[in-house]
Amino acid sequence: MTNNWETVIGLEIHAQLSTESKIFCSCSTKFGDQPNANTCPVCLGLPGALPVLNWRAVELGARAALSLGLRINERSIFSRKNYFYPDLPKGYQISQFDQPFSADGTLEIMTAERDLAGHARNWTPKTVRITRLHLEEDAGKNVHEGLPDVDRYSYIDLNRAGTPLAEIVTEPDFRTSWEAYDYVNHVRRALLWVGASEADMEKGNLRCEANVSVRRTGEGFGTKVELKNLNSVRFMQRAIEFEVERQIKALEAGERVMQETRLWDERAAETRVMRSKEEAHDYRYFPEPDLPPLLVTREFIEEVRSAMPELPEARRQRFMEQYDLSFSDASQLTSDRALSDYYEAAAAAAGNPRGAANWIRSELLREIENAGISAAECPVAPDELGALVRSIDDGTISGKQGKEVLSEMFATGKSAAAIIAERGLVQLSDSGEIDGVIDEVMAASPAQLEQYRAGKEALFGYFVGQIMKASKGKANPKVVNERLKEKLKG
Ligand SMILES: [Zn+2]
């Protein structure tokens, strides 16, 4: 059905910058305080109150822009965006319009289609045009639930009013929901990585809106629908899929797609009309008379840049070159800054970067996921993971024993060496001792020995099993194999 249809998606991200105070006053941005506790004449919009720019918001905005490889304008202008809404007491939002903090950028992301099981296939680079990144203040919040008489009253909490945001807008460059998904994840990771934003969609400090339309291949843009209430990247991806199918169905039935805002309802797995957008808003932007132009020097931008950590893409590339990791390994290990730091420390301690990568990806991340914690909270220190990998590499314990040791390290926080000693796990690798065990087993199995020597080679496994049993699982399988072959020759 979708064969001759093309999907067109543009994205807007609002990221809350991680300042301690608001963008134009000194009120706290702390979440969860008593409603309206963190307010003052400026963020309440009282007459005569004057905004003063919080320079920390500019610094974090610069970090956000640089983390995405965007250029910063040395001069930008704050403007008033006029509209009426109860959570906006001034009657306008201070934002940026024709001279934003950053404009006309490009960002390269890695993206892949997914199979039915959700596994990525063939990661390829894609360039996304970033229309703008600008700074603005957030509005307050209307509360319609959980308070007395909500059938008759609306409540307004202005704690959030004046919280600094970076708004990042793309051109309509995405053609599939997975491209949009990979882009939002890229931006989230970048902002979190450089400390510009907590970038958590579930907590609402990263909000995303998708403009979605469809067109027949080769035709002009179709009517776009704005999707909101996307509380996770996965929800956004599902909402786009639903919306694309809904629009194609409507057009194929000869109906029109209306220009409107729709909300994603995760429980019903559908989008619903929130409001029609037939009349375009006229925000009557004009320069904010109470704030001077925002001027940043080259020196300031370079200072911000030099204080930032190595960016995730650069680190991924370095991991591939320096540690000989695959794209997929390096991507996973740089999905989170704490994890990538952890990996580098563990690789150094192990003296085996690929071994450390394998143990982290196959075993440690599973423990971390099962425990529902982040890599930063991992109870196994990177040095200790390195020590574990070393004791496997030098044959002290087997890989299978290593998995058990790691589980116990994770559960108890004990060192690898302590657990290996306590459990008496030291692997038997001495060929003289192993020879002794092989001799005993052969002496105890004369019938099998005769059959083996008569050509029934499948019995090799029987002998290995008996030797492992006699050594209580401690014999080094590699040495057992070598010595047993030798001995069975007679
Ligand atoms: Zn305030």
Side-chain angles (χ1 to χ4, degrees):
M1 179 177 92
T2 55
N3 282 347
N4 53 350
W5 289 99
E6 185 179 50
T7 302
V8 177
I9 306 158
L11 295 171
E12 283 174 29
I13 288 176
H14 285 90
Q16 182 184 330
L17 298 169
S18 302
T19 56
E20 283 174 16
S21 57
K22 296 185 181 180
I23 185 167
F24 299 122
C25 62
S26 56
C27 292
S28 167
T29 54
K30 199 159 154 258
F31 183 78
D33 281 351
Q34 281 292 310
N36 299 307
N38 302 324
T39 54
C40 73
V42 173
C43 53
L44 289 175
L46 300 187
L50 289 174
V52 176
L53 179 61
N54 174 356
W55 197 251
R56 180 69 180 151
V58 178
E59 245 176 72
L60 294 178
R63 278 188 170 234
L66 295 174
S67 77
L68 300 172
L70 303 176
R71 217 168 27 79
I72 294 168
N73 291 326
E74 290 179 44
R75 184 175 191 275
S76 61
I77 301 284
F78 285 103
S79 292
R80 290 189 181 179
K81 180 182 183 179
N82 298 282
Y83 66 97
F84 173 78
Y85 205 64
D87 64 11
L88 189 73
K90 293 199 294 288
Y92 60 84
Q93 175 190 24
I94 303 178
S95 180
Q96 294 191 300
F97 181 53
D98 50 352
Q99 295 183 57
F101 192 60
S102 170
D104 303 323
T106 56
L107 170 65
E108 189 180 285
I109 62 163
M110 295 300 287
T111 184
E113 277 306 297
R114 308 303 202 272
D115 63 17
L116 289 174
H119 297 302
R121 296 260 172 253
N122 300 327
W123 289 95
T124 50
K126 176 182 174 69
T127 301
V128 179
R129 289 172 297 159
I130 307 288
T131 317
R132 56 196 286 126
L133 179 154
H134 71 240
L135 306 177
E136 63 181 26
E137 60 176 341
D138 205 349
K141 221 184 218 171
N142 291 345
V143 184
H144 306 287
E145 281 169 359
L147 289 163
D149 302 320
V150 284
D151 54 333
R152 288 184 293 138
Y153 297 116
S154 276
Y155 293 79
I156 298 169
D157 179 2
L158 293 171
N159 280 350
R160 202 180 67 180
T163 297
L165 301 177
E167 177 173 336
I168 307 160
V169 183
T170 75
E171 293 294 304
D173 283 351
F174 305 99
R175 293 293 170 270
T176 70
S177 61
W178 289 113
E179 288 180 358
Y181 177 90
D182 291 328
Y183 164 79
V184 176
N185 275 331
H186 182 113
V187 172
R188 265 181 58 204
R189 181 184 62 172
L191 299 183
L192 186 61
W193 190 284
V194 301
S197 172
E198 298 290 313
D200 186 334
M201 285 180 84
E202 280 162 46
K203 287 189 188 146
N205 47 35
L206 191 127
R207 304 197 290 272
C208 182
E209 289 158 29
N211 289 303
V212 180
S213 63
V214 299
R215 62 177 171 189
R216 287 186 204 269
T217 315
E219 284 184 354
F221 288 131
T223 306
K224 68 183 178 189
V225 166
E226 187 183 43
L227 299 183
K228 288 188 181 228
N229 197 33
L230 310 169
N231 296 328
S232 78
V233 195
R234 191 76 172 105
F235 288 2
M236 178 198 72
Q237 187 270 330
R238 280 208 281 263
I240 293 172
E241 283 295 312
F242 174 89
E243 187 57 23
V244 167
E245 224 170 278
R246 187 189 70 83
Q247 292 183 17
I248 292 174
K249 235 183 246 169
L251 293 168
E252 291 195 334
E255 295 162 17
R256 271 177 62 203
V257 168
M258 309 297 280
Q259 188 180 338
E260 59 197 9
T261 299
R262 298 177 72 93
L263 297 181
W264 174 245
D265 181 338
E266 174 65 19
R267 205 174 285 173
E270 63 182 25
T271 62
R272 290 206 191 120
V273 184
M274 176 191 173
R275 62 170 173 255
S276 149
K277 264 210 165 177
E278 285 299 291
E279 322 141 42
H281 275 292
D282 179 2
Y283 293 118
R284 302 185 57 204
Y285 282 98
F286 64 86
E288 166 61 65
D290 293 337
L291 286 165
L294 169 54
L295 304 175
V296 294
T297 61
R298 286 291 110 195
E299 292 76 31
F300 167 77
I301 294 168
E302 286 320 309
E303 234 169 73
V304 172
R305 194 195 304 277
S306 62
M308 298 205 318
E310 180 184 29
L311 292 175
E313 289 69 39
R315 187 168 275 197
R316 179 180 65 209
Q317 194 56 37
R318 184 168 63 75
F319 279 8
M320 290 169 69
E321 286 160 12
Q322 186 175 341
Y323 301 129
D324 195 24
L325 300 184
S326 68
F327 172 80
S328 140
D329 282 353
S331 293
Q332 190 172 12
L333 294 170
T334 52
S335 59
D336 166 338
R337 188 170 143 201
L339 177 64
S340 72
D341 290 341
Y342 186 100
Y343 166 68
E344 281 218 281
N352 175 358
R354 290 186 69 166
N358 289 338
W359 276 87
I360 290 172
R361 286 197 75 195
S362 62
E363 301 300 322
L364 189 70
L365 284 176
R366 194 179 53 228
E367 297 278 0
I368 285 175
E369 195 177 318
N370 288 345
I373 59 174
S374 71
E377 300 162 314
C378 177
V380 177
D383 283 2
E384 278 305 317
L385 187 85
L388 175 70
V389 174
R390 253 184 212 286
S391 48
I392 297 155
D393 287 348
D394 68 15
T396 306
I397 57 170
S398 69
K400 189 162 169 270
Q401 289 170 326
K403 291 182 188 181
E404 289 163 24
V405 173
L406 181 59
S407 283
E408 195 173 331
M409 288 165 76
F410 198 88
T412 63
K414 286 183 189 168
S415 73
I419 294 166
I420 291 168
E422 272 172 29
R423 291 191 169 201
L425 282 180
V426 177
Q427 183 170 250
L428 186 56
S429 296
D430 179 83
S431 53
E433 282 182 57
I434 287 178
D435 277 359
V437 180
I438 294 175
D439 289 342
E440 278 171 34
V441 167
M442 281 168 61
S445 315
Q448 286 85 349
L449 187 60
E450 197 176 320
Q451 287 172 31
Y452 181 88
R453 287 185 171 149
K456 199 174 172 190
E457 290 187 4
L459 281 169
F460 189 80
Y462 162 82
F463 287 106
V464 172
Q466 293 299 306
I467 294 159
M468 294 313 285
K469 205 167 143 192
S471 72
K472 298 193 175 69
K474 287 183 189 171
N476 181 331
K478 203 170 144 240
V479 180
V480 169
N481 268 296
E482 284 166 12
R483 295 304 307 149
L484 182 62
K485 263 183 207 146
E486 202 53 41
K487 292 249 175 200
L488 285 174
K489 281 183 196 156

